[in-house]
Amino acid sequence: MTDTAPQDAAHLATQLAGAVRSGDRRALARAITLIESTRADHRATAEALLAALLPHTGNSVRLGISGVPGVGKSTFIEAFGLHVIGLGHKVAVLAVDPSSQRTGGSILGDKTRMVDLSRDPNAFIRPSPAGATLGGVARRTREAMLICEAAGFDVIVVETVGVGQSETAVADMVDLFMLLLLPAGGDELQGIKKGIVELADLVVVNKADGDLAATARHTVADYRHALALLRHGDWRVPVLSCSAFRKTGIDTVWQTIGEHKALTEANGARATRRAEQARAWLWSEIRETLIDRFRAHPAVRADLARLEAEVTAGTTIPAAAAHTLLGRFLGKPAPSGSSGA
């Protein structure tokens, strides 16, 4: 067996890395498609590509944005992106669309919701399916961020699927996690997940215009009171309001992000956070890869459907089935009397 395949992968990765670094948008899209692929040969090339681009990453502001459906995330991101581009920055938006649990399909309609931003030469919008990954982000979102940074984008926005208990993984890959809220009060305020509010570095009440302007002011006051004691290190979580539709308050949001960046760079929190995120990324990749290899293992595949059926029917307890399948994966004989014997 020769080393032709590894050499071809390295050569392709070098060429693609050069094109990405030169600002070739088609190469950027191809690079993200490559890292999202699950084919073994593509993964080898993707890893070589990331290794080549890694020295040119890390120089962006990484933002995560989440919020309940209907809060106006896409409208906000478009207004925000155009404002930041107007200040001389380049913005990449990695928008993660929910995948159907039945078909695995996604609508991927973010570009249709950000028409003006998608047309700007200093913006790049990449919708990706969330697939089976929990956390409201696609499995390869972290790698896509690095590729966008290497391509010269200095503001990276990750738009998550929405608000839910499992959709907090974005906080493990960004410098600032922003939570968008609707003007609300009373019962609506109680319905917001406490956990995701505690993760937020910045809370922004959107749609603060028209008939909702007064309600938005009350919502901001309520959240400022509720979050008065919440601190992330030296940073006290601000609560702001804006109208993405009317493009008001967006400048204050960007200014606040700049203040957070300056503080966390000065006190070392940004570097510490990114180091912790890299370690979390390592273990996330280990878990995902182990599950992929577990499912693909011939001995596991031979028994998986039967044991799943037995667990569903209530004739085998899940723990016993799991131990049997793990034994298959590790090459251990099934224990005497087990369902896999």
Side-chain angles (χ1 to χ4, degrees):
M1 186 174 180
T2 66
D3 291 330
T4 302
Q7 289 175 355
D8 289 345
H11 178 67
L12 177 59
T14 300
Q15 284 189 320
L16 190 53
V20 168
R21 290 275 297 131
S22 71
D24 185 331
R25 297 173 69 86
R26 295 183 64 183
L28 174 57
R30 286 201 310 272
I32 295 178
T33 298
L34 175 68
I35 65 166
E36 290 178 342
S37 174
T38 57
R39 281 177 43 176
D41 57 333
H42 287 176
R43 286 309 305 160
T45 305
E47 289 175 8
L49 171 66
L50 289 165
L53 293 177
L54 190 60
H56 309 288
T57 64
N59 297 317
S60 76
V61 176
R62 301 171 180 174
L63 307 175
I65 297 181
S66 189
V68 296
V71 75
K73 289 192 296 292
S74 296
T75 304
F76 173 84
I77 290 171
E78 178 167 64
F80 176 81
L82 291 172
H83 174 78
V84 172
I85 287 171
L87 298 176
H89 298 278
K90 295 182 67 177
V91 178
V93 179
L94 302 175
V96 184
D97 272 22
S99 296
S100 168
Q101 295 302 306
R102 294 184 178 181
T103 67
S106 295
I107 296 175
L108 302 178
D110 293 274
K111 286 190 176 182
T112 65
R113 299 196 299 265
M114 306 180 197
V115 177
D116 292 337
L117 186 62
S118 66
R119 292 172 178 167
D120 197 295
N122 290 311
F124 176 79
I125 301 174
R126 174 71 181 212
S128 298
T133 306
L134 295 177
V137 291
R139 179 176 176 182
R140 301 299 175 189
T141 301
R142 295 176 180 87
E143 296 174 1
M145 282 198 308
L146 296 180
I147 292 174
C148 290
E149 288 177 345
F153 292 91
D154 59 344
V155 178
I156 313 293
V157 176
V158 181
E159 178 190 0
T160 67
V161 170
V163 174
Q165 289 181 338
S166 67
E167 294 166 4
T168 57
V170 66
D172 283 333
M173 65 178 71
V174 296
D175 301 321
L176 181 143
F177 177 48
M178 182 191 311
L179 178 62
L180 287 181
L181 298 176
L182 289 165
D187 293 339
E188 291 89 347
L189 288 179
Q190 294 296 324
I192 300 296
K193 295 280 191 278
K194 179 182 178 183
I196 203 162
V197 171
E198 291 176 340
L199 282 174
D201 300 295
L202 173 60
V203 174
V204 178
V205 178
N206 191 23
K207 302 189 178 182
D209 55 53
D211 294 339
L212 292 175
T215 306
R217 286 195 295 271
H218 289 303
T219 303
V220 168
D222 288 341
Y223 266 94
R224 283 179 177 166
H225 178 72
L227 301 180
L229 299 179
L230 183 61
R231 303 180 72 93
H232 293 180
D234 296 332
W235 178 255
R236 177 170 290 177
V237 179
V239 181
L240 308 176
S241 65
C242 76
S243 169
F245 178 71
R246 300 195 181 278
K247 298 180 175 57
T248 58
I250 304 296
D251 54 343
T252 304
V253 172
W254 176 244
Q255 179 183 338
T256 304
I257 292 169
E259 292 170 358
H260 179 271
K261 179 176 182 289
L263 175 65
T264 54
E265 284 181 338
N267 64 15
R270 185 171 185 259
T272 299
R273 185 168 181 165
R274 288 195 174 187
E276 292 173 349
Q277 289 170 351
R279 184 169 58 250
W281 181 3
L282 166 66
W283 283 104
S284 174
E285 188 62 25
I286 289 172
R287 285 190 296 270
E288 296 280 356
T289 302
L290 278 173
I291 291 173
D292 287 346
R293 294 189 179 182
F294 176 82
R295 288 183 174 276
H297 194 282
V300 171
R301 290 172 64 183
D303 283 340
L304 182 57
R306 175 179 60 82
L307 287 170
E308 281 185 331
E310 290 179 7
V311 168
T312 302
T315 57
T316 298
I317 63 171
H323 291 157
T324 298
L325 290 170
L326 287 169
R328 297 285 191 268
F329 181 65
L330 298 172
K332 296 179 179 179
S336 176
S338 74
S339 62

